[in-house]
């Protein structure tokens, strides 16, 4: 909608305006970052990060009139990555700690596994997930059960297609309901319960499930999936190894009600982190 009606959107009042102002603010921050990269970077330098790689690509394609590499697209792409990658991962982690508080047995099993395999201080890497099937299962269940994004973003069909015999004409707006898959009783033993066993076989090996689609599926699946999985694994295992998380005295459990914004957030909750 913003792309289709950019002029009109800027004249709308209320929440839309606020959203657009936030968008402009984020773009201005990214622009500053691009400028400071340009000052520090010279053609031929080894790129250090995404912005450097993109600047390098702009330089390499400057004589190609069909190239889409330009500074406006760099700012938009970097802003897309920030927008797609911050709230989603942080909110999923918050949900993860809600579940640990409500399921102390899961927290204890995960801690014991991490401590037995990695010890109290060894640096944790993403490859370690293979040696930590239980913790890996807990993280997959956190992603499934929290379903932070709720539904996927609106997409428009670019050609006539048929899905399971239903014709969907070109131009149809499609809102993928990932929730119905993540909670599908045909694929999950206890879809409405937090249950890491959804990702473990009878011998406690990690098993994946084709209905695990918190990052959506298909050609427009989340571009940040592997980064998100890596961040979640390293932050989660480091925290569970370092602290015991507890509810404040007198509180029985954390509410699993949510606030719906761009993502599904837990309500504010109090958590005690006791160093191990
Ligand atoms: C727990 C973390 C995350 C979840 C649950 C998540 C989920 C999703 C979902 C469901 C989509 C929609 C895909 C579709 O339309 O079919 C999406 C798209 C996207 N995500 Fe993520 N995401 C996460 C983390 C990240 C990270 C870390 C980044 C970037 C660093 C990122 C960047 C994006 C972008 C740019 C898109 C749009 C892709 C496109 O339009 O082709 N996401 N994500």
């Amino acid at each position: 909608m913003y792309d289709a009606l950019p002029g009109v959107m800027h004249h709308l009042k209320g929440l839309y305006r606020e959203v657009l102002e936030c968008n402009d603010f984020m773009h201005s921050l990214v622009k500053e970052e691009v400028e400071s990269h340009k000052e520090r970077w010279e053609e031929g330098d080894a790129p250090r990060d995404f912005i450097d790689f993109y600047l390098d690509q702009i330089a390499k394609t400057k004589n190609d009139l069909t190239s889409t590499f330009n500074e406006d697209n760099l700012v938009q792409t970097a802003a897309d990555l920030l927008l797609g990658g911050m709230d989603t991962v942080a909110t999923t982690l918050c949900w993860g700690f809600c579940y640990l508080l409500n399921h102390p047995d899961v927290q204890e099993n995960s801690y014991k596994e991490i401590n037995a395999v990695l010890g109290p201080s060894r640096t944790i890497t993403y490859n370690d997930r293979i040696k930590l099937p239980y913790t890996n299962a807990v993280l997959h269940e956190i992603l499934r059960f929290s379903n932070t994004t709720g539904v996927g973003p609106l997409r428009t069909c670019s050609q006539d297609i048929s899905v399971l015999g239903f014709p969907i004409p070109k131009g149809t707006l499609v809102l993928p309901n990932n929730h119905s898959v993540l909670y599908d009783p045909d694929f999950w033993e206890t879809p409405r319960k937090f249950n890491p066993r959804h990702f473990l076989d009878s011998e406690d090996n990690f098993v994946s499930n084709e209905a695990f689609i918190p990052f959506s599926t298909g050609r427009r699946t989340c571009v940040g999936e592997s980064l998100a999985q890596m961040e979640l694994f390293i932050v989660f295992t480091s925290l569970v190894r370092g602290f015991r998380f507890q509810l404040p005295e007198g509180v029985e459990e954390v509410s699993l009600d949510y606030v719906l914004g761009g993502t599904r957030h837990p309500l504010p909750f109090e958590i005690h982190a006791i160093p191990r």
Side-chain angles (χ1 to χ4, degrees), residues 58-73:
I58 294 176
K60 280 185 188 149
T61 55
K62 66 181 170 211
N63 296 324
D64 177 358
L65 296 178
T66 61
S67 166
T68 57
F69 291 103
N70 58 53
E71 276 185 35
D72 283 347
N73 281 348

Side-chain angles (χ1 to χ4, degrees), residues 152-245:
L154 264 181
R155 301 289 192 195
T156 311
C157 244
S158 58
Q159 59 190 64
D160 292 345
I161 52 156
S162 157
V163 176
L164 300 172
F166 294 98
I168 306 182
K170 179 178 172 178
T172 307
L173 288 178
V174 178
L175 186 67
N177 183 3
N178 298 343
H179 193 86
S180 70
V181 184
L182 292 169
Y183 278 68
D184 188 335
D186 289 343
F187 285 87
W188 309 101
E189 209 181 318
T190 58
R192 301 205 163 268
K193 282 199 182 129
F194 178 76
N195 176 8
R197 293 227 62 90
H198 284 141
F199 294 94
L200 292 168
D201 67 13
S202 55
E203 282 159 12
D204 292 341
N205 299 308
F206 178 82
V207 278
S208 110
N209 183 317
E210 63 176 309
F212 177 72
I213 58 155
F215 299 97
S216 193
T217 181
R219 291 175 76 173
R220 297 305 295 269
T221 187
C222 172
V223 287
E225 171 168 357
S226 31
L227 176 63
Q229 295 260 31
M230 192 169 64
E231 287 176 332
L232 287 170
F233 180 79
I234 291 175
V235 176
F236 181 86
T237 42
S238 305
L239 287 173
V240 169
R241 183 171 68 173
F243 299 92
R244 175 182 290 111
F245 294 96

Side-chain angles (χ1 to χ4, degrees), residues 80-143:
D80 281 349
L81 292 174
L82 282 176
L83 197 70
M86 284 191 310
D87 188 37
T88 44
V89 175
T91 306
T92 304
L93 266 176
C94 277
W95 279 118
F97 286 101
C98 290
Y99 307 147
L100 290 192
L101 291 175
N102 287 355
H103 300 270
D105 54 320
V106 172
Q107 181 179 178
E108 214 42 38
N109 289 343
S110 191
Y111 167 71
K112 280 186 188 149
E113 184 187 59
I114 298 166
N115 203 39
V117 176
L118 303 179
S121 56
R122 161 146 111 58
T123 306
I124 298 171
T125 70
Y126 188 43
N127 277 343
D128 290 328
R129 74 194 183 286
I130 298 153
K131 294 179 238 149
L132 302 171
Y134 185 81
T135 305
N136 200 14
V138 172
L139 274 161
H140 278 71
E141 182 66 352
I142 291 171
L143 277 160

